[in-house]
Amino acid sequence: MTSTSNTTASANTATQGRVALVTGGSGGIGRATVERLVADGYSVAVHYSGNRAAAEETVAAVTAAGGSAIVVGGDVADETAMATAFDQTEAAFGGIDVVVNTAGIMILGPIATLNLDDLDRMHRTNIRGTFVISQLAANRLRSGGALINFSTSVSRTKFPTYGAYVASKAAVESISLILARELRGKNITVNVVAPGPTATPLFLNGKDEQTIENLSKAVPLERLGQPEDIAETVAFLAGPARWVNGQVIYTNGGLA
């Protein structure tokens, strides 16, 4: 057996029996994360906000393949609904070891003309939602646990029209990195994944083929990321990466 195989086997052994809650787990990066964590031996709560059918389909696919998963729902910015989602996860699996917060919305437009209602809606989900999930995770994760929030590599690239979105994600980074320091002594890690251009509906929506081609060529690896690329980083932070804490991991193929 190669050293790579040994490493993989060790990681799977270490994560067997752990429990994860994945917000936005029914599509895109969230679904890829669910599938990866289940493959690593986790039981997973698949959270949805507006599309229960997609979450149920994800759970059905996981369980058909021999995994263990349930559906939980609610607005991530609603602390009562999210406390219930945590309750349901604990009731089903006995506790929570990992929270992966992929839930978020992206509304693009120049700062000079962006509708302020869109700004408020995006910031409610991305900032308040992250704060609610982070607060619950801080109080509910078991020792040895991990919280993984999501930002964006555009915080470095500074693409036009992303101003309001990047502002919300800068808040996510600040919340997460400060929480990592506040949880001293609890043996809980807090990190942020900042994907680059990734082929998800959230990213592709509203972009023409030329724009997508230009973005893919901007990456030294000359392709868009796939949800599975991001899930690989999440799986690392969720399980074996116990010495990575309070960091923003730019998973972007070398974009910036």
Side-chain angles (χ1 to χ4, degrees), residues 71-177:
V71 172
V72 298
D75 176 2
V76 290
D78 182 334
E79 65 272 28
T80 302
M82 288 302 95
T84 298
F86 274 70
D87 290 343
Q88 291 170 335
T89 305
E90 291 173 340
F93 301 125
I96 305 175
D97 301 291
V98 175
V99 172
V100 184
N101 182 32
T102 76
I105 61 175
M106 180 171 65
I107 303 171
L108 304 181
I111 292 170
T113 58
L114 187 78
N115 185 296
L116 293 181
D117 288 339
D118 288 339
L119 176 73
D120 291 343
R121 183 160 64 91
M122 184 162 49
H123 284 200
R124 172 180 166 79
T125 297
N126 296 356
I127 299 178
R128 181 185 170 92
T130 295
F131 202 98
V132 166
I133 296 299
S134 297
Q135 190 173 71
L136 285 164
N139 288 291
R140 307 280 285 267
L141 282 170
R142 294 188 284 208
S143 177
L147 168 63
I148 301 153
N149 284 319
F150 267 71
S151 181
T152 173
S153 286
V154 186
S155 61
R156 286 184 169 185
T157 59
K158 309 297 190 297
F159 293 147
T161 75
Y162 280 78
Y165 177 67
V166 168
S168 73
K169 292 303 188 177
V172 170
E173 294 183 13
S174 297
I175 291 166
S176 304
L177 273 55

Side-chain angles (χ1 to χ4, degrees), residues 59-77:
V59 167
V62 164
T63 55
S68 180
I70 63 168
V71 172
V72 298
D75 176 2
V76 290

Side-chain angles (χ1 to χ4, degrees), residues 143-233:
S143 177
L147 168 63
I148 301 153
N149 284 319
F150 267 71
S151 181
T152 173
S153 286
V154 186
S155 61
R156 286 184 169 185
T157 59
K158 309 297 190 297
F159 293 147
T161 75
Y162 280 78
Y165 177 67
V166 168
S168 73
K169 292 303 188 177
V172 170
E173 294 183 13
S174 297
I175 291 166
S176 304
L177 273 55
I178 289 172
L179 180 59
R181 278 74 183 174
E182 292 179 343
L183 292 180
R184 173 183 293 273
K186 287 195 170 185
N187 192 25
I188 294 170
T189 61
V190 184
N191 291 291
V192 180
V193 175
T198 306
T200 66
L202 179 69
F203 172 78
L204 297 173
N205 183 43
K207 294 182 175 68
D208 60 34
E209 290 187 11
Q210 187 59 54
T211 298
I212 294 168
E213 177 71 11
N214 291 342
L215 286 168
S216 68
K217 294 302 182 184
V219 177
L221 296 180
E222 295 191 328
R223 67 174 177 85
L224 295 181
Q226 296 300 314
E228 294 76 15
D229 294 319
I230 314 305
E232 182 177 43
T233 299

